[in-house]
Amino acid sequence: MGNLRVLKLREVMQKMNLEAVFITSSINRRYLTGFTGSSGYVLVTLSNAYLLTDFRYMTQAQQQAKGFTVVEHGIRVIDNVKELLISSKIDQLGFEQDDVSYSAYSTYKEQLQPEINLVPVKGLVEQLRMFKDEEEMKIMQRAADLADDTFSYILGVVKPGMTEREVDLAMEFYMRSHGATSSSFDTIVASGERSSMPHGVASERVIQGNELITFDFGALLDGYCSDVTRTIALGNPKPVLKEIYDIVLEAQLHTLTNIKSGMTGREADALARDIITKYGYGDQFGHSTGHGLGMEVHESPRLSKLSDDILQPGMVVTVEPGIYLPGIGGVRIEDDILITETGIEILTHSSKDYTVLNS
């Protein structure tokens, strides 16, 4: 696994005339090496690949990081990096500009210059991560299946009188006891008027009857995230809420039918937005239609009004339109999909029928 990804990274490095790259992001480290420890750095040159970690992880690193030379670093990892670069006669080092803090950069600069020049790079590993291979897709499907299972479980649990946080806790416990490391982000359980808050993380609010509840959640499983949203009714909510449910569902299904490889993120976003706008709720859909998904819950590409990202086979994205009426309630419906050569594969399968639980 490590080797193929390193080869692809080297192709990108060659295009950029970069002789060496220093990876500090923990997600990118795991992606390239397979090493799951909590601390370590990756140095990739055109001829060598090193995983630098501390004494706690020497055994684990050697078992997991196939194809990497494992180096036990000293108090300052940058001293080891400098040694390796000088011995390979390399005088420049790319670093992840989105991950390195200003103070870390200052330290690196102080230690490396004048012999080695620092070059800021952006999205080097992230652009490889946009394309999921077969092994990644197997894990992502399992993470999606676990989210679906969690949703059917919670439908049998949720009832008026529970707080949103109690519901969130039951979902977290279910996911973790079925193999998840954790939820992929803070679970959103937004009931009643709080469902009009797109990111209404579970609160102490007591769930009532005759209102909507939005669940937005996912499982982090073997390093990969799922991300699903369903909105259900308890009892008999206001008719306007059923009306916006039907519009959001129409927009979401229309997007799933028409989204395809070759489209820009902007064009994909318009599929959902145009329908919601047609019904007069454009201003109540304030976020983007979707985003890339993988080892992180928000990755490239973006499906938004401003996105020129081009959808290509192998990318996994969310499709999640919503309408939010402040003080009344809101609806969002979200699935995870894989873009393929011929269309899409939908990974999440929970029912999207208007579900009413009798309160």
Side-chain angles (χ1 to χ4, degrees), residues 259 265 268-269 288-291 301-305 307 311 317-319:
I259 193 171
D269 178 79
S288 61
T289 294
H291 54 83
R302 306 282 178 206
L303 278 55
S304 78
K305 284 192 274 197
S307 169
L311 298 179
V317 297
T318 66
V319 174

Side-chain angles (χ1 to χ4, degrees), residues 26-137:
S26 59
I27 303 255
N28 290 342
R29 175 182 74 229
R30 179 169 180 173
Y31 177 78
L32 289 171
T33 65
F35 170 61
T36 59
S38 68
S39 176
Y41 303 84
V42 174
L43 177 65
V44 175
T45 70
L46 295 176
S47 47
N48 292 298
Y50 303 96
L51 171 61
L52 301 100
T53 187
D54 62 64
F55 77 98
R56 296 172 297 169
Y57 288 119
M58 292 312 287
T59 306
Q60 181 184 339
Q62 277 153 349
Q63 288 166 347
Q64 291 181 322
K66 302 282 183 262
F68 280 77
T69 304
V70 177
V71 175
E72 184 177 337
H73 67 70
I75 295 169
R76 276 202 306 221
V77 67
I78 207 68
D79 294 342
N80 299 81
V81 169
K82 185 175 186 177
E83 255 168 61
L84 292 167
L85 292 174
I86 287 173
S87 67
S88 303
K89 301 188 169 46
I90 292 173
D91 61 5
Q92 50 140 313
L93 177 64
F95 70 94
E96 296 182 292
Q97 67 179 46
D98 291 336
D99 190 72
V100 173
S101 69
Y102 184 72
S103 65
Y105 169 74
S106 308
T107 307
Y108 298 165
K109 195 172 170 181
E110 201 178 296
Q111 299 308 311
L112 295 175
Q113 289 182 339
E115 298 93 331
I116 293 153
N117 195 32
L118 281 166
V119 181
V121 294
K122 187 179 176 65
L124 232 55
V125 179
E126 286 82 354
Q127 61 183 295
L128 305 180
R129 280 174 39 204
M130 280 201 290
F131 299 93
K132 311 303 190 268
D133 62 32
E134 208 176 312
E135 282 311 300
E136 289 179 288
M137 282 316 305

